[in-house]
Amino acid sequence: MKNKFLCKVLLILFISLNGVPAQESMIDIFVIDSYVTPEKPALIRISFITSDSVKSKIIFNDKYVFNVSKDFQGNHKFETNLENIKLDSSALFYVIEVIDSDGNISKSDINEISLPTYFINEPAQGNFLTLCLGGTVFALPNPTNVFMKSKNYFSLTKEIPFISFFSKGYNYPIGYISAEYAYIEKIKNNHFLRFGYKQIFNVPAIEFVSLGLNAFTDFKGKNGFSPEITFGIARIYNIFTLFSRYRFNIKPNESEYQFHEISIGLYSNFISINF
């Protein structure tokens, strides 16, 4: 009896000093869409659902707080101009915080939104340096290994995506039209020009996979087409994506002119017109 009485006294004393422990919230948060529109003015758009009716808000970069739902509901949509947030990098992080009718608070994991390449809200010097660095890297050619007539040749290529097509919810375009110049060492006609279309597919584990088809000419009557597959491997500074590409070049009715290419390079829609 004395032990039970002592335990009750200690429990009452603990509660009086520390308060009643808060009940753990069981609200689940499911993000449906989270992206920045590619066209100007850039808008942040986020939509999510919750497992119960809650009020919600979004916290960007641990300091910018925006209310989403002021009333209790399960479907939540948010939109704001990107200029409402001062950025110091080319990525934006946010956490969703919700509160239910009992006052329990839940938070989502940290989420990241990639920004359009044209929008980096930094001091003027930072913008200038970023633009110069990005332009320099963008101008670098892609090293390529060419397999032609049982021989290997070294080649330099440069692809320029000049029209990109975007879909809601993605920071990569769904496809783009590009022009490409190639120089192949130690062959007779070593200058090539290509025009083509690439369709991009978002896949797990890597950045993307794209399938493309090009038409090419060597300016000397050798014209043909070239299907290709590209693997986007890793994003660099949120501006460039390191890729590896395989391409098969075909000239109709001239099987001896068929050749293969394997290349690596950096993809960016740095100067592309976006739709």
Side-chain angles (χ1 to χ4, degrees):
M1 292 295 293
K2 290 183 179 180
N3 290 337
K4 290 183 179 180
F5 177 76
L6 181 59
C7 288
K8 289 182 180 180
V9 172
L10 291 175
L11 179 60
I12 294 171
L13 180 61
F14 176 81
I15 293 175
S16 64
L17 292 175
N18 297 278
V20 178
Q23 182 180 359
E24 184 179 357
S25 177
M26 299 297 292
I27 303 298
D28 294 317
I29 302 169
F30 305 96
V31 177
I32 306 301
D33 273 329
S34 176
Y35 65 99
V36 175
T37 56
E39 70 279 356
K40 294 182 180 179
L43 300 176
I44 304 171
R45 289 177 178 166
I46 300 171
S47 62
F48 58 96
I49 60 175
T50 51
S51 58
D52 199 355
S53 295
V54 294
K55 297 179 180 179
S56 60
K57 60 184 177 181
I58 294 180
I59 305 169
F60 292 101
N61 293 354
D62 288 328
K63 56 182 177 180
Y64 298 99
V65 181
F66 295 87
N67 288 319
V68 180
S69 301
K70 296 183 179 180
D71 300 320
F72 292 103
Q73 55 185 287
N75 295 314
H76 311 263
K77 291 186 178 181
F78 172 78
E79 178 178 293
T80 189
N81 195 304
L82 187 56
E83 293 183 350
N84 293 330
I85 300 174
K86 187 176 180 180
L87 304 171
D88 55 7
S89 69
S90 57
L92 182 63
F93 300 92
Y94 71 91
V95 171
I96 299 170
E97 183 178 299
V98 301
I99 182 170
D100 63 18
S101 57
D102 294 325
N104 298 314
I105 296 175
S106 294
K107 290 185 178 182
S108 70
D109 294 330
I110 297 175
N111 298 281
E112 178 182 356
I113 302 179
S114 298
L115 304 182
T117 55
Y118 65 79
F119 196 105
I120 300 177
N121 188 3
E122 299 179 19
Q125 182 180 7
N127 278 334
F128 178 74
L129 292 175
T130 301
L131 180 62
C132 290
L133 178 61
T136 301
V137 175
F138 181 77
L140 292 175
N142 305 326
T144 303
N145 194 17
V146 176
F147 305 90
M148 181 185 296
K149 299 178 181 179
S150 301
K151 293 183 179 180
N152 292 340
Y153 299 93
F154 178 74
S155 172
L156 291 175
T157 67
K158 185 57 197 175
E159 178 187 65
I160 300 179
F162 59 89
I163 298 178
S164 298
F165 305 95
F166 281 82
S167 177
K168 180 180 178 181
Y170 296 99
N171 289 297
Y172 283 109
I174 59 172
Y176 65 90
I177 300 172
S178 66
E180 179 180 321
Y181 168 76
Y183 173 80
I184 305 176
E185 285 188 331
K186 300 179 181 180
I187 67 171
K188 184 178 179 180
N189 299 330
N190 51 14
H191 299 276
F192 289 80
L193 181 65
R194 290 185 178 88
F195 288 94
Y197 176 76
K198 322 296 170 72
Q199 183 76 23
I200 292 181
F201 302 93
N202 292 272
V203 296
I206 61 175
E207 292 294 318
F208 63 80
V209 171
S210 79
L211 300 178
L213 183 64
N214 310 278
F216 72 83
T217 179
D218 68 352
F219 306 101
K220 298 292 181 64
K222 301 291 186 181
N223 307 316
F225 61 95
S226 52
E228 65 179 47
I229 183 170
T230 303
F231 299 92
I233 300 170
R235 184 168 289 195
I236 302 173
Y237 294 113
N238 213 40
I239 299 176
F240 301 99
T241 300
L242 177 68
F243 70 80
S244 177
R245 172 175 294 160
Y246 167 75
R247 176 186 288 148
F248 181 50
N249 299 270
I250 306 167
K251 185 180 186 301
N253 302 321
E254 289 191 32
S255 59
E256 71 276 6
Y257 198 72
Q258 297 176 359
F259 60 97
H260 307 262
E261 296 178 47
I262 295 177
S263 62
I264 60 172
L266 296 174
Y267 161 79
S268 176
N269 60 333
F270 194 69
I271 59 173
S272 176
I273 300 173
N274 299 327
F275 290 96

